[in-house]
Amino acid sequence: MNFSTAKPESSIQFRLDTFTADFVQDYFQRRKEGVYQFLDPFYDEEEKRWIIPIYIPIPDEMGATIPFVVYLVLSQDYYQKYLDVKEKIRKLILRLSNWAFDISDFNKETLSKLSSQLQEILEKNIEPEYYEMKAILEMPILEREILLVALKEHRSGGISLDLLTEQLQKTKQSVLQTVNSLVKQGILRKQEEDDQIIVDILWVV
């Protein structure tokens, strides 16, 4: 599976493919420790780009771990900015890693949102707004109830809008309106699966 927010040059893509193949082979030969891992960056001389591989473990249905690798491809200027804000990026990636429960979570929409957040950190030194439990409990009642249910159902891949409405005992229109507001704020995601709307939290929660 190969998604990107911008198509890499052929020389870089070749190095990514080669690194991925070598990493996966090595991964299954040796046990990898840790929740996530920033691997050693390397430089593409031809394209003058730094490449930072980030390993994110994804659990599968059998209880094993799928090795997933995200690459940051940065110019020299952006690489220097990355070094300056590395801890903020580590925090973002850790939250993403804790949030992801399925390989399908890493789609174009997810990587595009992650890319935008990384760009905000790199260019403006601005982190996403993170919502801990205290912040959730201080939200308006319906927003709070929706997020608490979504948190509970996240490991199951989210919850359908119909079931969410039923659990909250609210009108579908009011729930949908609030869900749409939370989606615009980047707190929830909403997607269609099997002709129904599925609501799930994002990694900022």
Side-chain angles (χ1 to χ4, degrees):
M1 186 166 62
N2 203 342
F3 292 138
S4 62
T5 55
K7 185 173 177 59
E9 297 295 333
S10 57
S11 67
I12 291 180
Q13 187 62 63
F14 176 76
R15 295 199 68 178
L16 299 185
D17 293 342
T18 302
F19 183 94
T20 302
D22 292 344
F23 175 79
V24 170
Q25 182 178 8
D26 180 64
Y27 177 88
F28 286 110
Q29 289 175 350
R30 296 187 304 169
R31 183 178 176 183
K32 297 292 179 182
E33 299 292 343
V35 175
Y36 75 108
Q37 183 179 14
F38 278 71
L39 305 170
D40 291 337
F42 53 94
Y43 189 67
D44 185 278
E45 185 66 42
E46 183 177 340
E47 298 297 334
K48 310 296 184 189
R49 293 287 186 271
W50 281 95
I51 300 169
I52 303 167
I54 303 171
Y55 157 64
I56 300 177
I58 305 295
D60 69 9
E61 295 178 353
M62 305 301 292
T65 301
I66 300 170
F68 191 87
V69 183
V70 173
Y71 294 97
L72 305 185
V73 181
L74 306 173
S75 65
Q76 180 63 51
D77 181 49
Y78 268 77
Y79 181 66
Q80 185 57 54
K81 291 178 179 179
Y82 161 80
L83 294 177
D84 294 338
V85 295
K86 192 172 181 179
E87 289 310 309
K88 291 180 180 179
I89 291 178
R90 282 185 183 276
K91 180 179 178 181
L92 175 61
I93 296 299
L94 179 59
R95 294 186 74 106
L96 175 74
S97 179
N98 290 335
W99 168 84
F101 284 104
D102 191 272
I103 197 74
S104 63
D105 286 331
F106 291 91
N107 51 40
K108 289 183 179 179
E109 178 189 1
T110 298
L111 293 185
S112 178
K113 187 175 293 292
L114 175 65
S115 178
S116 296
Q117 292 173 338
L118 288 168
Q119 199 163 7
E120 284 286 296
I121 294 174
L122 288 168
E123 290 187 349
K124 303 175 184 177
N125 200 15
I126 298 175
E127 290 182 276
E129 184 174 359
Y130 297 123
Y131 298 84
E132 309 300 341
M133 188 56 70
K134 183 176 183 293
I136 294 172
L137 294 176
E138 292 174 349
M139 288 182 169
I141 294 175
L142 187 52
E143 289 187 1
R144 179 176 71 233
E145 290 178 343
I146 288 172
L147 288 178
L148 290 175
V149 173
L151 272 169
K152 181 181 176 184
E153 299 296 332
H154 175 59
R155 286 180 179 267
S156 302
I159 184 171
S160 71
L161 180 64
D162 289 340
L163 187 55
L164 176 63
T165 301
E166 183 181 322
Q167 285 194 22
L168 297 177
Q169 298 183 345
K170 306 289 185 182
T171 66
K172 189 171 183 178
Q173 182 180 358
S174 65
V175 173
L176 180 57
Q177 185 177 0
T178 305
V179 165
N180 287 338
S181 173
L182 292 169
V183 169
K184 284 185 179 180
Q185 295 174 57
I187 302 173
L188 288 181
R189 70 172 174 174
K190 184 182 70 172
Q191 54 193 26
E192 286 195 19
E193 293 180 12
D194 301 325
D195 297 326
Q196 58 181 346
I197 296 174
I198 302 297
V199 177
D200 195 9
I201 60 167
L202 284 173
W203 52 87
V204 294
V205 178

mmCIF file of all heavy atoms in Angstrom, residues 16 19 37 40 48 54-55 57 62 75 78 86 93 145 147 154 166 175-176 185 201 205:
data_model
loop_
_atom_site.group_PDB
_atom_site.id
_atom_site.type_symbol
_atom_site.label_atom_id
_atom_site.label_comp_id
_atom_site.label_asym_id
_atom_site.label_seq_id
_atom_site.Cartn_x
_atom_site.Cartn_y
_atom_site.Cartn_z
ATOM 1 N N LEU A 16 12.717 4.525 -1.141
ATOM 2 C CA LEU A 16 11.661 4.184 -0.193
ATOM 3 C C LEU A 16 11.268 2.716 -0.320
ATOM 4 O O LEU A 16 11.116 2.012 0.682
ATOM 5 C CB LEU A 16 10.431 5.070 -0.404
ATOM 6 C CG LEU A 16 10.583 6.583 -0.238
ATOM 7 C CD1 LEU A 16 9.225 7.261 -0.363
ATOM 8 C CD2 LEU A 16 11.240 6.936 1.068
ATOM 9 N N PHE A 19 14.151 0.559 1.000
ATOM 10 C CA PHE A 19 14.232 0.628 2.462
ATOM 11 C C PHE A 19 13.096 -0.175 3.094
ATOM 12 O O PHE A 19 13.299 -0.917 4.060
ATOM 13 C CB PHE A 19 14.173 2.079 2.938
ATOM 14 C CG PHE A 19 14.336 2.218 4.428
ATOM 15 C CD1 PHE A 19 15.580 2.454 4.987
ATOM 16 C CD2 PHE A 19 13.243 2.100 5.286
ATOM 17 C CE1 PHE A 19 15.745 2.575 6.361
ATOM 18 C CE2 PHE A 19 13.387 2.207 6.662
ATOM 19 C CZ PHE A 19 14.646 2.446 7.200
ATOM 20 N N GLN A 37 8.868 4.072 16.537
ATOM 21 C CA GLN A 37 10.310 4.305 16.441
ATOM 22 C C GLN A 37 10.633 5.204 15.247
ATOM 23 O O GLN A 37 10.235 4.906 14.125
ATOM 24 C CB GLN A 37 11.044 2.975 16.290
ATOM 25 C CG GLN A 37 12.548 3.096 16.257
ATOM 26 C CD GLN A 37 13.217 1.727 16.134
ATOM 27 O OE1 GLN A 37 12.562 0.743 15.821
ATOM 28 N NE2 GLN A 37 14.509 1.677 16.363
ATOM 29 N N ASP A 40 16.695 5.856 11.594
ATOM 30 C CA ASP A 40 17.756 6.786 11.195
ATOM 31 C C ASP A 40 17.427 7.451 9.854
ATOM 32 O O ASP A 40 17.104 6.759 8.875
ATOM 33 C CB ASP A 40 19.087 6.043 11.070
ATOM 34 C CG ASP A 40 19.609 5.574 12.420
ATOM 35 O OD1 ASP A 40 19.207 6.178 13.439
ATOM 36 O OD2 ASP A 40 20.401 4.624 12.455
ATOM 37 N N LYS A 48 18.418 15.897 -3.351
ATOM 38 C CA LYS A 48 18.718 16.805 -2.227
ATOM 39 C C LYS A 48 17.573 16.806 -1.214
ATOM 40 O O LYS A 48 17.051 17.845 -0.815
ATOM 41 C CB LYS A 48 18.954 18.245 -2.723
ATOM 42 C CG LYS A 48 19.937 18.363 -3.880
ATOM 43 C CD LYS A 48 21.324 17.912 -3.479
ATOM 44 C CE LYS A 48 22.308 18.122 -4.624
ATOM 45 N NZ LYS A 48 23.623 17.512 -4.359
ATOM 46 N N ILE A 54 9.517 6.425 9.739
ATOM 47 C CA ILE A 54 8.885 6.314 11.055
ATOM 48 C C ILE A 54 8.110 5.003 11.102
ATOM 49 O O ILE A 54 7.183 4.789 10.328
ATOM 50 C CB ILE A 54 7.930 7.488 11.318
ATOM 51 C CG1 ILE A 54 8.679 8.821 11.180
ATOM 52 C CG2 ILE A 54 7.305 7.376 12.695
ATOM 53 C CD1 ILE A 54 7.769 10.031 11.216
ATOM 54 N N TYR A 55 8.510 4.124 12.012
ATOM 55 C CA TYR A 55 7.861 2.824 12.167
ATOM 56 C C TYR A 55 6.673 2.953 13.119
ATOM 57 O O TYR A 55 6.795 3.490 14.210
ATOM 58 C CB TYR A 55 8.872 1.809 12.708
ATOM 59 C CG TYR A 55 8.263 0.626 13.412
ATOM 60 C CD1 TYR A 55 7.463 -0.280 12.721
ATOM 61 C CD2 TYR A 55 8.497 0.405 14.767
ATOM 62 C CE1 TYR A 55 6.903 -1.369 13.372
ATOM 63 C CE2 TYR A 55 7.947 -0.689 15.423
ATOM 64 C CZ TYR A 55 7.152 -1.572 14.722
ATOM 65 O OH TYR A 55 6.608 -2.645 15.375
ATOM 66 N N PRO A 57 3.700 0.428 14.715
ATOM 67 C CA PRO A 57 3.165 -0.941 14.799
ATOM 68 C C PRO A 57 1.643 -0.947 14.750
ATOM 69 O O PRO A 57 0.993 -0.198 15.474
ATOM 70 C CB PRO A 57 3.679 -1.430 16.159
ATOM 71 C CG PRO A 57 3.823 -0.185 16.972
ATOM 72 C CD PRO A 57 4.163 0.930 16.020
ATOM 73 N N MET A 62 -4.961 -11.413 14.618
ATOM 74 C CA MET A 62 -4.412 -12.572 15.307
ATOM 75 C C MET A 62 -3.564 -12.173 16.511
ATOM 76 O O MET A 62 -2.986 -13.015 17.182
ATOM 77 C CB MET A 62 -3.572 -13.412 14.330
ATOM 78 C CG MET A 62 -4.326 -13.841 13.085
ATOM 79 S SD MET A 62 -5.789 -14.838 13.481
ATOM 80 C CE MET A 62 -5.002 -16.301 14.125
ATOM 81 N N SER A 75 13.120 18.821 2.386
ATOM 82 C CA SER A 75 14.256 19.582 1.861
ATOM 83 C C SER A 75 15.223 19.859 3.011
ATOM 84 O O SER A 75 14.904 19.641 4.176
ATOM 85 C CB SER A 75 13.775 20.898 1.259
ATOM 86 O OG SER A 75 13.227 21.718 2.281
ATOM 87 N N TYR A 78 13.650 22.287 5.440
ATOM 88 C CA TYR A 78 12.631 21.659 6.282
ATOM 89 C C TYR A 78 13.244 20.665 7.258
ATOM 90 O O TYR A 78 12.727 20.480 8.366
ATOM 91 C CB TYR A 78 11.575 20.960 5.420
ATOM 92 C CG TYR A 78 10.401 21.845 5.087
ATOM 93 C CD1 TYR A 78 10.499 22.822 4.104
ATOM 94 C CD2 TYR A 78 9.196 21.715 5.759
ATOM 95 C CE1 TYR A 78 9.435 23.644 3.801
ATOM 96 C CE2 TYR A 78 8.122 22.529 5.469
ATOM 97 C CZ TYR A 78 8.243 23.497 4.485
ATOM 98 O OH TYR A 78 7.192 24.308 4.198
ATOM 99 N N LYS A 86 11.419 18.624 16.756
ATOM 100 C CA LYS A 86 11.326 17.159 16.730
ATOM 101 C C LYS A 86 10.421 16.602 17.823
ATOM 102 O O LYS A 86 9.649 15.669 17.592
ATOM 103 C CB LYS A 86 12.732 16.564 16.854
ATOM 104 C CG LYS A 86 12.801 15.081 16.553
ATOM 105 C CD LYS A 86 14.256 14.622 16.517
ATOM 106 C CE LYS A 86 14.344 13.149 16.186
ATOM 107 N NZ LYS A 86 15.757 12.687 16.123
ATOM 108 N N ILE A 93 3.144 11.962 16.335
ATOM 109 C CA ILE A 93 3.250 10.604 15.808
ATOM 110 C C ILE A 93 2.857 9.574 16.867
ATOM 111 O O ILE A 93 2.227 8.553 16.562
ATOM 112 C CB ILE A 93 4.678 10.330 15.282
ATOM 113 C CG1 ILE A 93 4.998 11.250 14.084
ATOM 114 C CG2 ILE A 93 4.831 8.864 14.881
ATOM 115 C CD1 ILE A 93 4.077 11.054 12.889
ATOM 116 N N GLU A 145 -21.093 14.014 24.930
ATOM 117 C CA GLU A 145 -21.677 12.671 24.866
ATOM 118 C C GLU A 145 -21.242 11.944 23.599
ATOM 119 O O GLU A 145 -20.937 10.744 23.630
ATOM 120 C CB GLU A 145 -23.200 12.772 24.927
ATOM 121 C CG GLU A 145 -23.726 13.208 26.293
ATOM 122 C CD GLU A 145 -25.234 13.350 26.315
ATOM 123 O OE1 GLU A 145 -25.839 13.429 25.229
ATOM 124 O OE2 GLU A 145 -25.804 13.382 27.421
ATOM 125 N N LEU A 147 -18.458 12.418 21.840
ATOM 126 C CA LEU A 147 -17.039 12.064 21.922
ATOM 127 C C LEU A 147 -16.800 10.904 22.878
ATOM 128 O O LEU A 147 -15.959 10.037 22.612
ATOM 129 C CB LEU A 147 -16.212 13.279 22.344
ATOM 130 C CG LEU A 147 -16.055 14.361 21.285
ATOM 131 C CD1 LEU A 147 -15.251 15.537 21.836
ATOM 132 C CD2 LEU A 147 -15.384 13.814 20.035
ATOM 133 N N HIS A 154 -14.038 3.330 19.495
ATOM 134 C CA HIS A 154 -12.925 3.489 18.549
ATOM 135 C C HIS A 154 -12.256 2.159 18.203
ATOM 136 O O HIS A 154 -11.945 1.885 17.044
ATOM 137 C CB HIS A 154 -11.895 4.469 19.113
ATOM 138 C CG HIS A 154 -10.674 4.598 18.266
ATOM 139 N ND1 HIS A 154 -10.724 5.004 16.946
ATOM 140 C CD2 HIS A 154 -9.357 4.350 18.523
ATOM 141 C CE1 HIS A 154 -9.506 5.020 16.440
ATOM 142 N NE2 HIS A 154 -8.664 4.614 17.376
ATOM 143 N N GLU A 166 -29.296 6.404 18.461
ATOM 144 C CA GLU A 166 -30.112 5.561 19.337
ATOM 145 C C GLU A 166 -29.567 5.564 20.768
ATOM 146 O O GLU A 166 -30.335 5.679 21.735
ATOM 147 C CB GLU A 166 -30.124 4.133 18.786
ATOM 148 C CG GLU A 166 -30.988 3.161 19.572
ATOM 149 C CD GLU A 166 -30.934 1.762 18.990
ATOM 150 O OE1 GLU A 166 -30.890 1.638 17.746
ATOM 151 O OE2 GLU A 166 -30.925 0.793 19.776
ATOM 152 N N VAL A 175 -27.862 15.171 16.167
ATOM 153 C CA VAL A 175 -26.603 14.431 16.290
ATOM 154 C C VAL A 175 -25.728 14.658 15.057
ATOM 155 O O VAL A 175 -24.528 14.923 15.174
ATOM 156 C CB VAL A 175 -26.869 12.919 16.496
ATOM 157 C CG1 VAL A 175 -25.562 12.121 16.441
ATOM 158 C CG2 VAL A 175 -27.567 12.688 17.825
ATOM 159 N N LEU A 176 -26.333 14.578 13.875
ATOM 160 C CA LEU A 176 -25.583 14.771 12.640
ATOM 161 C C LEU A 176 -24.994 16.181 12.560
ATOM 162 O O LEU A 176 -23.840 16.372 12.148
ATOM 163 C CB LEU A 176 -26.476 14.512 11.425
ATOM 164 C CG LEU A 176 -25.810 14.676 10.048
ATOM 165 C CD1 LEU A 176 -24.597 13.767 9.912
ATOM 166 C CD2 LEU A 176 -26.812 14.408 8.941
ATOM 167 N N GLN A 185 -13.933 20.649 12.958
ATOM 168 C CA GLN A 185 -12.902 21.025 13.923
ATOM 169 C C GLN A 185 -11.720 20.047 13.926
ATOM 170 O O GLN A 185 -10.738 20.269 14.630
ATOM 171 C CB GLN A 185 -13.511 21.084 15.329
ATOM 172 C CG GLN A 185 -14.562 22.163 15.517
ATOM 173 C CD GLN A 185 -15.216 22.074 16.878
ATOM 174 O OE1 GLN A 185 -14.545 22.132 17.910
ATOM 175 N NE2 GLN A 185 -16.537 21.930 16.904
ATOM 176 N N ILE A 201 -13.384 8.847 16.305
ATOM 177 C CA ILE A 201 -12.517 9.930 16.791
ATOM 178 C C ILE A 201 -11.257 10.017 15.931
ATOM 179 O O ILE A 201 -10.919 9.092 15.194
ATOM 180 C CB ILE A 201 -12.111 9.724 18.272
ATOM 181 C CG1 ILE A 201 -11.354 8.397 18.422
ATOM 182 C CG2 ILE A 201 -13.292 9.819 19.184
ATOM 183 C CD1 ILE A 201 -10.648 8.245 19.751
ATOM 184 N N VAL A 205 -7.833 13.470 19.975
ATOM 185 C CA VAL A 205 -8.606 13.180 21.194
ATOM 186 C C VAL A 205 -7.849 12.169 22.042
ATOM 187 O O VAL A 205 -7.449 11.125 21.528
ATOM 188 C CB VAL A 205 -9.993 12.622 20.828
ATOM 189 C CG1 VAL A 205 -10.769 12.273 22.094
ATOM 190 C CG2 VAL A 205 -10.773 13.630 19.995
#
